[in-house]
Amino acid sequence: MRVLHTSDWHLGRAFHRVSMLGAQADFIGHLVTTVREHAVDAVVVAGDVYDRAVPPLAAVELFDDALHRLAALGVPTVMISGNHDSARRLGVGAGLIDRAGIHLRTEPSAAGTPVVLTDAHGDVAFYGLPYLEPALVKDEFAVDRAGHEAVLGAAMDRVRADLAGRPPGTRSVVLAHAFVTGGQASDSERDITVGGVAAVPAGVFDGVDYVALGHLHGCQTITERVRYSGSPLAYSFSEADHRKSMWLVDLDADGSVAAERLDCPVPRPLARIRGALDDLLADPALAPHEDAWVEATLTDPVRPADPMARLTERFPHTLSLVFDPERAPDDPEVSYARRLAGRSDQQIAQDFVAHVRGAGPDEQEAAVLGEAFDAVRADDVVREVAR
């Protein structure tokens, strides 16, 4: 069976205030063409179909167009909800849409109930594991501690139990939206950390033939059977070096996997340039970036006059301007933001405790801080889902 693995469409998202709807529509067209030209048997979309729980109307219309075009191909499509989606909204009408060959899997309780497709070699069971927010699903999966590894492990136990009851030789594909150990993050993914730990080990998925992951925006191979497709478009300048693509996966009769990367259309290249303003404006080596979306980091010790206006004369698509004057780390003029760069909310809070009382929090106090941050984050998720 030939499977096309994609994820993280983020329909409705802008790139530094530039609408991406046109580029997203081009990707949908490319996806449909790819399915047709490569004789794909099934499409899997591993979450974050939308960019937010309540997407703009134009994004909903684009999703509707994608569903109609995929259904018209007669090629089954399996989709799960991601941490940016409202599972309840995305799943509206799932039973009816199912009849058209579009299978929306947004209910955690259905993790062990697959979509079963058949080829010349027998059945392939597709299990959809939507994003599992630990605070919301720990009771469903009867886990003692609300953590990503615990709830995902419990969901996979249901998958393996169902698979064990199926005819010998049944192959299996799992769709999941999670941060798996070994994956490389970018700046455009929403933090899903719980209890200080976001990543789950790849071994959680043992026992299935292929795992189609979503959440991280870079295309990555965790193991030969566990892969991220990444987002089809770049959504932050941290993705400037990404090669945006989808996985074309061939699942043989014995469950062996062969995967090929298929490139996605690039609306405009990204470039990150750094240096003093006058140097950036004069450097001939930067000529290839003059038509790119540009993030410019200025290192001038004194902020120059009208930097954006001057930059856009040479780089008309400059979208982001960062000031990072070259100073010694102990210079008192080093910015507060620079001192905090790379530190988590909990680390910043612990630094504050150390600053005001002369000593950092002990183990018990650190645990209380961690629980407080988890509670606030979980409450934000509940509020967003309930909108």
Side-chain angles (χ1 to χ4, degrees):
M1 183 168 289
R2 174 163 284 184
V3 179
L4 186 64
H5 168 198
T6 179
S7 73
D8 295 273
W9 294 357
H10 288 277
L11 300 182
R13 186 164 186 159
F15 182 77
H16 289 267
R17 301 176 304 281
V18 174
S19 172
M20 297 295 283
L21 274 170
Q24 290 170 340
D26 289 343
F27 163 70
I28 296 300
H30 171 72
L31 173 71
V32 171
T33 299
T34 300
V35 170
R36 184 186 305 113
E37 292 183 350
H38 288 267
V40 169
D41 298 307
V43 176
V44 297
V45 186
D48 281 354
V49 174
Y50 291 121
D51 188 57
R52 57 181 186 263
V54 184
L57 178 59
V60 177
E61 291 173 339
L62 180 54
F63 179 58
D64 181 65
D65 178 63
L67 293 185
H68 278 83
R69 295 173 73 179
L70 288 169
L73 293 174
V75 176
T77 299
V78 184
M79 296 183 173
I80 60 172
S81 49
N83 61 300
H84 280 250
D85 298 309
S86 165
R88 291 165 63 186
R89 283 187 172 85
L90 187 63
V92 168
L96 185 61
I97 296 171
D98 194 83
R99 300 179 190 176
I102 307 293
H103 308 283
L104 298 173
R105 291 296 181 263
T106 63
E107 291 291 335
S109 59
T113 304
V115 175
V116 180
L117 305 178
T118 304
D119 65 7
H121 305 293
D123 290 346
V124 181
F126 288 78
Y127 296 90
L129 276 55
Y131 171 66
L132 302 175
E133 171 56 45
L136 301 182
V137 302
K138 63 183 180 66
D139 292 336
E140 165 65 33
F141 292 106
V143 297
D144 295 330
R145 178 172 173 76
H148 288 284
E149 184 174 354
V151 297
L152 199 51
M156 282 302 302
D157 286 342
R158 294 188 184 183
V159 168
R160 285 184 283 263
D162 179 83
L163 194 56
R166 295 190 174 274
T170 299
R171 291 155 292 161
S172 53
V173 175
V174 165
L175 289 72
H177 197 85
F179 189 171
V180 176
T181 303
Q184 297 297 312
S186 63
D187 292 343
S188 54
E189 298 117 2
R190 181 181 297 166
D191 182 26
I192 59 171
T193 302
V194 168
V197 179
V200 300
V204 164
F205 299 104
D206 286 351
V208 297
D209 294 311
Y210 183 72
V211 181
L213 292 174
H215 180 56
L216 299 184
H217 288 185
C219 182
Q220 302 170 59
T221 300
I222 305 300
T223 72
E224 286 304 305
R225 295 183 181 275
V226 181
R227 299 171 186 263
Y228 283 100
S229 66
S231 60
L233 297 166
Y235 293 116
S236 72
F237 278 103
S238 65
E239 302 170 54
D241 294 330
H242 286 191
R243 174 188 164 196
K244 295 303 182 180
S245 56
M246 301 177 286
W247 285 114
L248 187 66
V249 178
D250 285 315
L251 195 62
D252 288 345
D254 61 356
S256 60
V257 170
E260 175 189 358
R261 287 180 72 176
L262 302 180
D263 291 332
C264 294
V266 178
R268 190 180 297 279
L270 307 186
R272 301 177 105 172
I273 60 177
R274 178 185 178 90
L277 178 57
D278 288 342
D279 294 339
L280 297 180
L281 295 177
D283 188 352
L286 299 180
H289 303 319
E290 291 174 357
D291 195 45
W293 278 321
V294 169
E295 177 186 73
T297 300
L298 301 185
T299 60
D300 303 73
V302 177
R303 185 172 302 204
D306 299 322
M308 182 61 88
R310 294 171 64 189
L311 275 168
T312 53
E313 288 181 4
R314 183 180 185 189
F315 307 103
H317 304 289
T318 301
L319 299 181
S320 176
L321 186 58
V322 180
F323 294 97
D324 187 18
E326 291 184 344
R327 296 190 174 104
D330 56 353
D331 190 315
E333 295 300 318
V334 171
S335 72
Y336 180 69
R338 187 171 174 183
R339 294 199 301 273
L340 297 184
R343 301 187 67 74
S344 68
D345 290 343
Q346 175 141 357
Q347 288 172 324
I348 294 169
Q350 292 182 184
D351 289 347
F352 177 76
V353 172
H355 174 72
V356 297
R357 77 177 187 191
D362 59 27
E363 185 176 339
Q364 184 175 358
E365 291 169 331
V368 170
L369 281 172
E371 290 171 0
F373 280 115
D374 284 349
V376 170
R377 193 190 57 77
D379 184 62
D380 287 344
V381 172
V382 172
R383 289 174 183 271
E384 184 167 344
V385 169
R387 288 176 63 193

